[in-house]
């Protein structure tokens, strides 16, 4: 029992005793007690009414009612609580204003939506870059304003590991990179960054590489042609020149391959270069490449086997697929010692079409695996002179897979061997039966 309460109780008891004594003096104990209690009840009702009035008008900041005893304490405590609550509210508002001011100062667009995509809040950059209007668009579904279907698919996917790049709907010359973060109950925090400058630089880089490759092709063809002629007549050359001409011819050939790969990569990278879809029967396509690989293996006599059943076909750009699969299979030949085994295995299931190339060659240290598909990345740079590769093979494979909505999986162990698996989505499978019917 706290002090205030016991003081109040003592006052009440003292009041009752006084009333009783007064009753005794007046000789009307019952009436005096009744009158006293009625007065107390009336006073209590009045305090309750004042409390009710005050609480109802607390917004208009009515003065705290004056009272004493328990009621006085009650009014004071409620007043203290209200003050504390208002202070906390003010602090929160100041903090909210600061957050809003700082996000408004951001160059990146920030948008908050609920789980369905209804827009709750956005900053000024979002108005500038995405064309949202403060009063009109509140509560609108974001994908009704960013109308590209790719955005809707990305938004609904809930898988935001990699960002999405799109042109701004308000200013199409601006390229935006969208990052989405889930929070709360599937609410979304969307951040859009202007990457037009990076995009332009990237485009310049691609154009530069492709132009230089084009320009180098013609002189190189001439040099290569003359070297070939010289080599054809090498018996007429002085002995010391014979080796030089042969080396020059080999290097010119390597440069030609490099330029062909660079041009192919530049073509694959351009987003406007859509694959030309055509059904290629896996057995025929892979057997063709297997034969070329066997020829490439020559006296190294690799044992290259094709494992797969049926006449299933893969829908895709045939030259691109041939190039990607050749790169993987020829790599298996290059990086597997003589007489090694290379298995080309294909199958289809509920997830799609899969092509795996397994060898028992030199393998790759796991530290290199994450970077293997980068241009010119080599797991063992000392070996590339021997194998004569351009260093672009797996970069080409990666782009072909991306263009076909597929993925590349790599497993490898040094001195045990490697396995490269291409996974294509189910929509690219053309099963044997329907094609037979069509025919
Ligand atoms: P390269 O022209 O050098 O073969 P790629 O892009 O085709 O370039 O391959 C990149 C690197 O990956 C190669 O330099 C090699 O170190 C490694 N690699 C690729 N395939 C295999 C394989 N089957 N076995 C071992 N290493 C491989």
């Amino acid at each position: 029992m706290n002090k205030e309460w016991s003081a109040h109780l003592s006052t009440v008891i003292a009041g009752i005793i006084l009333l009783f004594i007064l009753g005794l003096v007046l000789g009307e104990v019952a009436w005096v007690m009744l009158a006293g209690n009625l007065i107390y009840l009336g006073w209590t009702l009045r305090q309750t009414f004042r409390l009710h009035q005050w609480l109802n008008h607390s917004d208009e900041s009515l003065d705290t009612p004056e009272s004493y005893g328990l009621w006085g304490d009650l009014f004071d405590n409620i007043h203290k609580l209200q003050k504390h609550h208002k202070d906390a509210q003010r602090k929160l508002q100041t903090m909210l204003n600061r957050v809003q001011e700082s996000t408004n100062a951001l160059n990146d667009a920030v948008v908050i939506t609920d789980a369905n995509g209804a827009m709750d809040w956005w900053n000024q950059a979002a108005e500038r870059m995405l064309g949202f209007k403060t009063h009109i668009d509140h509560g609108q579904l974001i994908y009704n304003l960013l109308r590209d279907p790719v955005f809707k698919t990305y938004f609904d996917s809930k898988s935001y590991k990699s960002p999405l790049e799109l042109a701004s709907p308000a200013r199409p010359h601006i390229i935006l990179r969208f990052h989405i973060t889930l929070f709360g109950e599937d609410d979304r925090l969307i951040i859009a960054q202007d990457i037009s400058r990076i995009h332009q630089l990237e485009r310049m880089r691609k154009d530069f590489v492709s132009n230089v490759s084009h320009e180098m092709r013609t002189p190189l063809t001439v040099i290569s042609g003359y070297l070939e002629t010289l080599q054809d007549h090498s018996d007429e050359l002085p002995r010391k020149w014979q080796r030089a001409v042969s080396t020059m011819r080999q290097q010119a050939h390597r440069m030609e391959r490099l330029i062909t790969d660079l041009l192919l990569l530049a073509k694959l990278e351009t987003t406007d270069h859509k694959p030309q879809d055509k059904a290629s029967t896996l057995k025929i396509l892979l057997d063709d490449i297997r034969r070329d690989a066997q020829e490439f293996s020559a006296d190294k006599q690799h044992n290259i086997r094709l494992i797969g059943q049926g006449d299933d076909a893969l829908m895709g750009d045939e030259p691109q697929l041939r190039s990607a699969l050749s790169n993987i299979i020829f790599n298996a030949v290059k990086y597997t010692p003589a007489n090694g085994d290379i298995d080309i295995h294909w199958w289809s299931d509920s997830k799609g079409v899969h092509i795996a190339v397994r060898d028992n060659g030199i393998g790759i240290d796991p530290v290199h695996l994450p970077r293997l598909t980068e241009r010119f990345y080599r797991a063992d740079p000392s070996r590339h002179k021997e194998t004569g590769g351009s260093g672009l093979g797996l970069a080409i494979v990666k782009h072909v897979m991306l263009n076909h909505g597929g993925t590349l999986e790599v497993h490898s162990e040094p001195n045990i061997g490697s396995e490269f698996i291409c996974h294509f989505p189910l929509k690219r499978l053309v099963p044997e039966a329907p094609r037979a019917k069509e025919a």
Side-chain angles (χ1 to χ4, degrees):
M1 207 188 291
N2 67 22
K3 257 199 214 155
E4 287 148 11
W5 177 245
S6 44
H8 178 70
L9 200 65
S10 328
T11 317
V12 172
I13 293 169
I16 293 171
I17 294 170
L18 270 176
L19 278 177
F20 187 72
I21 294 169
L22 189 66
L24 281 181
V25 173
L26 296 177
E28 292 287 353
V29 176
W31 285 111
V32 170
M33 290 295 278
L34 181 68
N37 276 317
L38 281 176
I39 291 167
Y40 183 71
L41 185 67
W43 181 76
T44 307
L45 276 175
R46 190 174 130 66
Q47 300 308 317
T48 316
F49 177 72
R50 287 175 76 199
L51 176 66
H52 180 254
Q53 287 283 91
W54 180 51
L55 289 180
N56 270 355
H57 296 89
S58 61
D59 282 354
E60 293 156 31
S61 53
L62 277 188
D63 285 342
T64 316
E66 290 289 332
S67 191
Y68 46 85
L70 193 66
W71 283 100
D73 291 342
L74 195 67
F75 288 142
D76 283 350
N77 285 342
I78 292 178
H79 176 69
K80 268 188 219 153
L81 266 178
Q82 269 185 339
K83 197 166 160 325
H84 182 74
H85 177 66
K86 275 187 188 149
D87 283 351
Q89 227 177 9
R90 210 170 301 124
K91 265 192 206 149
L92 209 66
Q93 188 60 47
T94 318
M95 219 161 79
L96 211 65
N97 288 346
R98 273 181 74 78
V99 172
Q100 287 204 353
E101 267 171 38
S102 54
T103 41
N104 273 335
L106 275 179
N107 285 328
D108 298 342
V110 183
V111 186
I112 294 176
T113 74
D114 67 10
N116 302 318
M119 303 203 302
D120 284 339
W121 180 88
W122 56 91
N123 66 352
Q124 281 167 5
E127 302 193 353
R128 221 174 33 245
M129 286 154 64
L130 303 168
F132 298 164
K133 293 181 189 73
T134 314
H135 300 297
I136 309 171
D137 293 334
H138 195 269
Q140 289 261 28
L141 295 178
I142 189 161
Y143 40 79
N144 285 345
L145 300 171
L146 297 172
R147 299 188 77 93
D148 195 319
V150 178
F151 181 80
K152 168 112 173 66
T153 314
Y154 182 64
F155 185 90
D156 290 340
S157 71
K158 290 194 192 173
S159 152
Y160 307 125
K161 266 192 219 143
S162 35
L164 173 74
E165 288 178 15
L166 276 186
S168 152
R171 296 154 79 187
H173 62 281
I174 294 184
I175 306 295
L176 299 173
R177 180 177 288 162
F178 289 89
H179 295 266
I180 303 187
T181 310
L182 282 168
F183 70 100
E185 287 177 18
D186 276 355
D187 298 327
R188 315 285 208 283
L189 171 71
I190 303 164
I191 298 178
Q193 212 181 356
D194 180 352
I195 53 153
S196 313
R197 176 104 187 99
I198 305 171
H199 215 255
Q200 194 190 356
L201 287 174
E202 184 71 3
R203 196 169 196 102
M204 275 163 62
R205 178 191 65 78
K206 285 178 194 164
D207 288 350
F208 175 76
V209 172
S210 136
N211 289 342
V212 169
S213 312
H214 258 297
E215 293 302 323
M216 277 168 65
R217 189 170 231 180
T218 320
L220 198 61
T221 313
V222 176
I223 295 171
S224 236
Y226 278 120
L227 286 172
E228 202 170 328
T229 318
L230 278 175
Q231 210 177 6
D232 286 348
H233 299 89
S234 60
D235 42 344
E236 294 167 31
L237 292 174
R239 267 189 75 78
K240 62 175 180 182
W241 286 108
Q242 285 178 5
R243 217 175 107 74
V245 167
S246 157
T247 312
M248 282 196 284
R249 169 98 185 86
Q250 269 174 22
Q251 293 304 320
H253 193 58
R254 231 187 108 200
M255 269 178 90
E256 273 176 333
R257 265 208 313 268
L258 184 65
I259 286 173
T260 310
D261 281 357
L262 275 174
L263 284 171
L264 176 63
L265 203 51
K267 203 164 127 192
L268 291 174
E269 274 183 335
T270 46
T271 41
D272 31 317
H273 179 77
K274 289 263 177 304
Q276 300 291 310
D277 280 351
K278 175 183 162 230
S280 311
T281 310
L282 283 164
K283 193 166 67 182
I284 300 175
L285 176 71
L286 292 172
D287 196 44
D288 248 15
I289 304 173
R290 186 195 64 79
R291 261 183 278 131
D292 291 346
Q294 196 70 67
E295 223 169 273
F296 179 62
S297 157
D299 48 1
K300 282 198 180 170
Q301 305 234 324
H302 290 100
N303 175 26
I304 311 178
R305 287 187 307 168
L306 195 59
I307 308 160
Q309 296 279 316
D311 277 329
D312 283 351
L314 181 61
M315 188 58 91
D317 187 306
E318 206 260 355
Q320 282 193 25
L321 293 174
R322 185 178 284 273
S323 164
L325 295 167
S326 300
N327 270 315
I328 296 177
I329 297 170
F330 277 54
N331 271 351
V333 174
K334 282 193 292 185
Y335 300 105
T336 303
N339 302 315
D341 294 324
I342 297 166
D343 286 344
I344 307 165
H345 184 193
W346 93 85
W347 72 100
S348 57
D349 57 22
S350 59
K351 288 188 185 142
V353 182
H354 317 271
I355 302 167
V357 178
R358 192 179 306 138
D359 64 53
N360 59 355
I362 60 168
I364 307 163
D365 194 310
V367 290
H368 299 295
L369 295 183
R371 298 190 57 192
L372 218 54
T373 55
E374 285 175 21
R375 279 149 227 250
F376 300 114
Y377 189 85
R378 290 177 170 108
D380 186 357
S382 60
R383 232 176 242 269
H384 84 268
K385 280 204 188 86
E386 258 170 62
T387 60
S390 68
L392 295 171
L394 292 180
I396 291 175
V397 175
K398 182 179 107 179
H399 275 92
V400 171
M401 294 312 290
L402 273 176
N403 283 356
H404 287 79
T407 51
L408 176 70
E409 189 185 330
V410 186
H411 305 281
S412 191
E413 250 184 90
N415 303 321
I416 303 279
S418 312
E419 184 176 31
F420 288 76
I421 315 171
C422 299
H423 300 286
F424 294 92
L426 192 60
K427 63 178 184 201
R428 297 216 163 261
L429 169 70
V430 186
E432 188 182 341
R435 280 183 309 113
K437 245 188 249 165
E438 268 169 37

